Amino acid sequence: MTPVLEASHLSVTLTVGKKRKQLVKDSSFAVYPGECLGILGESGSGKSMTVKSMLGLLDQHFSITGKALFYGKDLLQEKRETLRAMRGKDITMVLQNPMTCFDPLYRIGNQMAETFAAHTNWSPQKIQEESLVILERMQIQNPKEALQKYPHQLSGGMLQRIMIGLAVALKPKLLIADEPTTAIDAITQKEILDAFLEIKQEHQTAMIFITHDLGAIAKVADRLLVMNQGEIVDEGTYSHILHHAQDRYTKLLIEKRQAVMGRYQQVLGGMI
Amino acid sequence: MKQYVFKRILSTIPLLLIISFVCFVFINLIPSNPAEVALRVRQVPIITEEAIAEVEAELGLNRPFLVRYVSWLFDCLKGDFGISYVNPSRTVAGELARCLPATLQLAGASLVLVILLSIPIGFLCAVYKDGIFDKVMRALVFITTAMPPYWVGLLLMWFISIKLDLLPTSGGGSFAHLILPAFTVSLSYISTYIRLIRNNMLENMKQDYVLYANVRGLPQKVILIKHILKNSMHTCIVAIGMSIPQLISGTIVVENVFAWPGLGTLCISSIFNRDYPIIQAYVLLIGVLFVVFNLLFDILQTVSDPRLRKEGA
Ligand SMILES: Nc1ncnc2c1ncn2[C@@H]1O[C@H](COP(=O)(O)OP(=O)(O)OP(=O)(O)O)[C@@H](O)[C@H]1O
Ligand SMILES: [Mg+2]
């Protein structure tokens, strides 16, 4: 089976003046059709950097080496315009801070419409209809009104769902979620996770799910990478990693998680 | 929204009162006696104590200070700024009205230059940050902020009008006369706004909404103009609004360098002639302009920002 995305020996180096800092070190991994790959790692470990570098989202201060094959074509060799046309259509992303990801000066409807206009030749009516379909699918109440709202008038959870809706609207081949639950309260987190599970079951879209929350990743990811300081330190299924973690950092994460779970069960047990 | 505008307008009233009072006090602090000045200007051969007392009574200068302030304030509200000491056949309001159009023309032309030059240049500097264009512009901005306008004016006059003989050196009336003074007035503002727009754009480029716009695959043109430029301009609105009265008052030096027949020239000649009513009215006018434009653009910014504007109000 050919992977949807295959990174081989991917390295990202940041050069500021004479200082060079390697942010991603010789990473190799693959995502297969219908699979959800989880990337786990603490803040600053280079998770976002890894995906941003492949999508051409970094400026010229970052130099990237290695390969990022998307259905066999190396994204790192593509022209900027080709990459732009792929982003938002073939490869889409959901970001961490829904509240700051929309331009505060334009209505939601306008920002959804400009996304469709960049990738399709739909008429304004068709764009309007599709936008409403997305909002309905993402269970936004009063979709017509929501289109007329400015970002600051909607909640973080609603904006996050709109972002997810936009990310799946054009039937992408790869969906990347970069800590989609970190900036949201616990109840909304569950809804957002469910939305991803649904996408996975209904459309079999290949996914990369980035997080530093072991609980979230256990639910959606089929396979895990653990990153620490720019390096991939562990790889395998959730239960494999749970029992055969090689890396000190991974073990630490698991211990912490088990401690929390233990206390949780104690409390629950005490209540019953 | 209406309530906000109303409150904002009301809040300017005390400010205007303070400005008028300060303006009145300062003019009255000038040591020479206006009555004596009036007599001298009218070429009265011998200035006696009685003559001075007579003129003081005529001009109302012998009344107590506060009485004079209040009566002056009420006259001003009626649009009556008094009569020129130097030329008693002319009212101050008439003199201001005569010179105002030329100054507005100069300030307007300068504003147009500022907007037409600084927005595209600031935009290109930010887009091609650290490129050759950006570096050259930054050097020019640095040099022009360091040069005082009258000196730039004289340099331009010497080079363009005298050496190259392209434009007239001084006077008013035609479009050709307008170019050099307008450019001189606007130069330091152009530098300021190039810097402001460049920095605002660079700041905006780091925002999440730009990353997300790229993630959605929007074309660069859309991201740069529709999103980044608009957000950057947004924070400039108030600054530009405050520049308008600054441009009007800032013409004072340049008008004199180029003998442009506007308010600045009138003001300087009034200062030399000790024509207090005119100076007083000029200072008051400029103060009021500052308050009014501040108010206007504050409201405009509130109205144009969806986060500040309340829906349905
Ligand atoms: N624009 C930048 N300039 C300089 N250094 C950067 C920049 N962006 C990220 N870095 C550095 O790169 C490293 C990896 O960052 P990255 O954003 O990939 O972390 P992350 O794993 O996604 O963390 P988080 O959970 O906080 O999102 C960090 O050490 C960060 O300091
Ligand atoms: Mg990140």
Side-chain angles (χ1 to χ4, degrees):
Chain A
M1 201 161 39
T2 48
V4 177
L5 181 75
E6 183 180 6
S8 68
H9 305 291
L10 188 74
S11 292
V12 180
T13 311
L14 171 66
T15 317
V16 183
K18 286 212 173 75
K19 267 206 201 144
R20 292 164 62 83
K21 195 177 161 202
Q22 204 173 17
L23 302 174
V24 176
K25 295 169 193 161
D26 199 31
S27 285
S28 300
F29 59 90
V31 190
Y32 291 91
E35 182 193 42
C36 176
L37 176 73
I39 301 184
L40 185 71
E42 67 182 325
S43 197
S45 56
K47 306 182 297 291
S48 302
M49 218 28 91
T50 305
V51 290
K52 278 189 200 166
S53 67
M54 293 187 289
L55 297 189
L57 291 170
L58 299 178
D59 60 49
Q60 70 278 6
H61 298 291
F62 298 88
S63 60
I64 308 160
T65 58
K67 279 193 180 128
L69 303 173
F70 182 68
Y71 286 107
K73 263 199 313 190
D74 190 357
L75 294 176
L76 300 181
Q77 305 301 324
E78 292 290 353
K79 292 202 186 68
R80 279 172 62 137
E81 174 56 23
T82 320
L83 268 183
R84 179 203 66 75
M86 290 171 89
R87 282 196 305 261
K89 183 165 188 288
D90 300 320
I91 308 178
T92 58
M93 244 176 118
V94 175
L95 301 178
Q96 180 173 355
N97 293 308
M99 304 292 268
T100 54
C101 280
F102 289 91
D103 185 334
L105 300 183
Y106 292 94
R107 296 173 200 274
I108 291 297
N110 182 315
Q111 300 190 52
M112 294 180 75
E114 67 181 358
T115 314
F116 292 130
H119 298 291
T120 66
N121 47 15
W122 293 349
S123 68
Q125 284 100 315
K126 166 98 169 144
I127 286 180
Q128 164 100 10
E129 284 162 25
E130 288 292 324
S131 303
L132 286 174
V133 168
I134 291 176
L135 296 188
E136 269 159 30
R137 191 193 302 154
M138 296 316 291
Q139 289 154 19
I140 306 277
Q141 285 147 9
N142 303 329
K144 273 222 174 75
E145 273 172 39
L147 284 182
Q148 296 301 316
K149 293 269 171 97
Y150 287 97
H152 73 278
Q153 296 170 313
L154 299 178
S155 71
M158 278 164 105
L159 291 171
Q160 188 66 287
R161 272 179 291 172
I162 293 174
M163 227 193 257
I164 297 170
L166 259 179
V168 291
L170 295 172
K171 310 239 157 24
K173 303 193 173 77
L174 176 65
L175 168 62
I176 301 171
D178 189 354
E179 310 206 30
T181 56
T182 310
I184 310 179
D185 64 85
I187 299 169
T188 324
Q189 270 183 24
K190 190 179 171 309
E191 290 172 20
I192 298 292
L193 274 181
D194 289 344
F196 279 104
L197 282 173
E198 211 178 291
I199 292 166
K200 211 179 131 191
Q201 278 153 13
E202 273 183 29
H203 306 284
Q204 279 88 43
T205 311
M207 272 199 252
I208 295 181
F209 196 97
I210 298 176
T211 184
H212 53 237
D213 178 0
L214 203 59
I217 217 163
K219 268 195 176 172
V220 284
D222 303 306
R223 211 153 46 82
L224 289 188
L225 297 179
V226 184
M227 282 192 77
N228 190 14
Q229 295 185 340
E231 260 177 301
I232 297 178
V233 290
D234 260 313
E235 188 171 358
T237 60
Y238 178 66
S239 62
H240 175 86
I241 289 206
L242 217 52
H243 301 294
H244 307 278
Q246 302 286 315
D247 186 71
R248 251 191 56 228
Y249 167 71
T250 317
K251 284 182 189 151
L252 200 73
L253 259 181
I254 292 165
E255 274 166 28
K256 255 200 289 187
R257 161 105 187 134
Q258 276 166 346
V260 172
M261 286 308 282
R263 207 159 353 141
Y264 184 64
Q265 270 152 4
Q266 263 178 8
V267 172
L268 275 185
M271 272 164 56
I272 297 167
Chain B
M1 192 68 224
K2 268 194 195 121
Q3 211 177 358
Y4 166 79
V5 172
F6 190 64
K7 255 195 217 154
R8 221 27 211 85
I9 292 175
L10 274 188
S11 71
T12 60
I13 290 175
L15 198 59
L16 287 171
L17 278 177
I18 293 171
I19 288 176
S20 68
F21 187 72
V22 169
C23 163
F24 189 78
V25 169
F26 270 115
I27 300 296
N28 277 275
L29 284 178
I30 297 175
S32 63
N33 184 345
E36 200 183 320
V37 175
L39 279 173
R40 204 170 285 138
V41 169
R42 289 174 201 172
Q43 299 188 323
V44 175
I46 309 151
I47 298 172
T48 59
E49 290 291 319
E50 293 97 78
I52 289 180
E54 200 175 299
V55 174
E56 275 184 345
E58 178 197 327
L59 298 175
L61 292 169
N62 51 358
R63 292 173 298 163
F65 180 77
L66 274 179
V67 174
R68 275 188 290 142
Y69 167 67
V70 173
S71 91
W72 172 74
L73 187 65
F74 276 98
D75 284 346
C76 285
L77 286 177
K78 281 183 278 178
D80 172 12
F81 298 94
I83 288 169
S84 163
Y85 285 174
V86 176
N87 200 338
S89 63
R90 291 185 171 170
T91 63
V92 173
E95 286 292 278
L96 291 181
R98 180 173 63 82
C99 296
L100 190 63
T103 292
L104 288 185
Q105 197 184 15
L106 181 56
S110 309
L111 183 69
V112 170
L113 271 180
V114 169
I115 290 174
L116 284 186
L117 288 176
S118 56
I119 295 176
I121 293 177
F123 177 83
L124 289 175
C125 280
V127 173
Y128 301 107
K129 179 177 178 272
D130 295 329
I132 294 173
F133 181 79
D134 183 35
K135 281 185 178 145
V136 170
M137 279 302 152
R138 263 157 64 192
L140 281 179
V141 163
F142 182 74
I143 294 169
T144 49
T145 17
M147 296 199 290
Y150 61 87
W151 191 55
V152 173
L154 289 172
L155 268 179
L156 284 173
M157 206 193 272
W158 171 76
F159 187 69
I160 295 183
S161 302
I162 297 175
K163 281 276 161 190
L164 300 178
D165 200 19
L166 288 177
L167 294 167
T169 49
S170 60
S174 78
F175 182 70
H177 283 101
L178 188 60
I179 299 174
L180 278 189
F183 187 70
T184 309
V185 172
S186 55
L187 199 56
S188 64
Y189 293 92
I190 294 174
S191 313
T192 310
Y193 283 112
I194 288 177
R195 238 180 352 194
L196 190 63
I197 289 169
R198 177 182 180 275
N199 293 348
N200 273 350
M201 289 211 24
L202 291 177
E203 203 43 54
N204 270 289
M205 283 176 186
K206 293 184 207 146
Q207 302 296 316
D208 280 350
Y209 77 83
V210 176
L211 173 65
Y212 187 51
N214 272 307
V215 161
R216 287 182 288 152
L218 301 187
Q220 279 306 304
K221 231 180 15 199
V222 173
I223 299 180
L224 284 172
I225 296 173
K226 178 179 170 185
H227 294 290
I228 299 178
L229 184 62
K230 187 164 176 195
N231 273 278
S232 313
M233 286 305 298
H234 208 258
T235 43
C236 293
I237 291 179
V238 173
I240 287 180
M242 284 310 287
S243 289
I244 295 175
Q246 273 172 22
L247 278 169
I248 294 174
S249 60
T251 56
I252 192 162
V253 175
V254 174
E255 276 185 14
N256 279 282
V257 171
F258 288 96
W260 183 263
L263 279 183
T265 308
L266 175 72
C267 178
I268 297 280
S269 70
S270 303
I271 289 173
F272 280 117
N273 294 330
R274 308 269 154 83
D275 201 343
Y276 296 141
I278 292 188
I279 306 172
Q280 208 166 24
Y282 176 81
V283 174
L284 183 68
L285 176 73
I286 298 295
V288 169
L289 282 180
F290 269 94
V291 174
V292 168
F293 275 95
N294 189 5
L295 173 73
L296 221 59
F297 278 82
D298 214 33
I299 292 173
L300 188 67
Q301 195 194 26
T302 312
V303 171
S304 70
D305 189 332
R307 285 161 297 183
L308 302 176
R309 181 176 64 212
K310 287 214 179 69
E311 279 300 290

